[in-house]
Amino acid sequence: NAGVTQTPKFRVLKTGQSMTLLCAQDMNHEYMYWYRQDPGMGLRLIHYSVGEGTTAKGEVPDGYNVSRLKKQNFLLGLESAAPSQTSVYFCASSAATDTQYFGPGTRLTVL
Amino acid sequence: QQQVKQSPQSLIVQKGGISIINCAYENTAFDYFPWYQQFPGKGPALLIAIRPDVSEKKEGRFTISFNKSAKQFSLHIMDSQPGDSATYFCAASKPHDMRFGAGTRLTVKP
C-alpha cells in the first residue's frame, strides 16, 4: 500500500514553460487536493476534487488547472509557469471530509 | 488574510520538557481541528485531531486543548524527545476547506 505518491519529486522550469504534476492514491479515496507550501505561509489549497470527473477551486487557484479523469489520479497543470509558482506542491487524499493523507511533495523551481 | 494564526514560529525545548504550540481561528464554521507533523523533505502527517464538541483529547504524549468560546486550540507535547524535532502545523477545517497555520519549528535539545 503506497498511499499517496507524487511525480516528479523535483523539477526546474523556465518562465513560460508548462508542466503537469501527477498525484496517485491507492486508498480508493473520493476526495483529492492540491496544496502549495511556501515559507512562513503554511499550506494553501489550490484545487480539489470530490470525485472522478469533478474539480473545484481552492484558496489560490490562479495559474493552475487540474483534472481528475480517474478516481486514483489527480493532475495539476501549470500552463505558463511564473517565478511566483516556485514552491513545494503537496497532494492529499481523504475518504471523508476530515483526515487528509499527504504525499511526499514536488519541489518546483521556476527561473 | 490568514484565517489560522499559529505561534510561536520556532520553539526550543530541552529533552523531557513540555512543548506548547498555540493556534487561533476566526471562522466559526470550522468543525475539525487537526495537527500535522512534518519532517524535512517529507509530507505532513496527521498527529492528532479534535472536534469542537470536546475540550481536550490525549493520545500518548500529545494533547490538544480546545477553547471554543475563545476560538483557540493548542498542542502540548509532554516529555519532549529529540525525535519530536519537526515542524508542526495546526489547521482548521470545514468540508473541502482546510486552512493551515504558518507552522512552528520545534527543536528538542538532548
Side-chain angles (χ1 to χ4, degrees), chain A residues 20-61:
Chain A
T20 300
L21 307 183
L22 171 64
C23 175
Q25 53 97 2
D26 62 3
M27 297 175 282
N28 202 35
H29 286 169
E30 284 295 331
Y31 310 121
M32 296 187 75
Y33 307 84
W34 275 107
Y35 292 88
R36 60 179 289 172
Q37 184 176 38
D38 301 293
M41 301 194 71
L43 289 92
R44 291 180 293 166
L45 182 63
I46 303 170
H47 286 281
Y48 65 95
S49 168
V50 300
E52 184 178 319
T54 72
T55 62
K57 294 180 180 179
E59 185 183 356
V60 288

Side-chain angles (χ1 to χ4, degrees), chain A residues 49-80:
Chain A
S49 168
V50 300
E52 184 178 319
T54 72
T55 62
K57 294 180 180 179
E59 185 183 356
V60 288
D62 294 343
Y64 305 95
N65 57 76
V66 288
S67 64
R68 182 116 181 257
L69 299 179
K70 293 183 179 181
K71 184 177 183 179
Q72 64 267 35
N73 295 338
F74 195 27
L75 304 179
L76 177 70
L78 287 73
E79 291 184 347
S80 179

Side-chain angles (χ1 to χ4, degrees), chain B residues 4-11 20-24 35 73-75 88 90 101-104:
Chain B
V4 179
K5 295 182 180 174
Q6 182 172 347
S7 63
Q9 272 189 309
S10 62
L11 181 62
I20 302 174
I21 305 170
N22 301 300
C23 284
W35 285 88
F73 57 112
S74 60
L75 176 69
Y88 293 79
C90 64
T104 296

Side-chain angles (χ1 to χ4, degrees), chain B residues 1 5 10 20 22 26 28 34 39 41 44 56 59 67 69 79 83 87 93 96 98 104-105 107:
Chain B
Q1 181 187 1
K5 295 182 180 174
S10 62
I20 302 174
N22 301 300
E26 297 180 0
T28 55
F39 293 103
E56 187 174 282
E59 291 183 0
N67 185 329
S69 61
D79 187 27
T87 300
S93 176
H96 311 303
M98 185 173 291
T104 296
R105 180 171 291 186
T107 302

Side-chain angles (χ1 to χ4, degrees), chain A residues 37 90 104 107, chain B residues 36-45 47 62 81-89 106:
Chain A
Q37 184 176 38
F90 288 100
R107 186 174 295 274
Chain B
Y36 282 86
Q37 180 188 56
Q38 185 178 30
F39 293 103
K42 305 291 186 183
L47 190 63
F62 302 93
Q81 298 296 312
D84 296 331
S85 297
T87 300
Y88 293 79
F89 293 95
L106 171 66

Side-chain angles (χ1 to χ4, degrees), chain B residues 40-98:
Chain B
K42 305 291 186 183
L46 180 68
L47 190 63
I48 186 172
I50 198 168
R51 295 216 178 255
D53 52 345
V54 297
S55 60
E56 187 174 282
K57 183 174 181 181
K58 184 176 181 179
E59 291 183 0
R61 296 185 294 110
F62 302 93
T63 300
I64 298 178
S65 297
F66 188 84
N67 185 329
K68 188 175 179 178
S69 61
K71 293 188 285 186
Q72 295 175 348
F73 57 112
S74 60
L75 176 69
H76 291 63
I77 306 174
M78 310 300 289
D79 187 27
S80 299
Q81 298 296 312
D84 296 331
S85 297
T87 300
Y88 293 79
F89 293 95
C90 64
S93 176
K94 51 187 170 75
H96 311 303
D97 187 4
M98 185 173 291

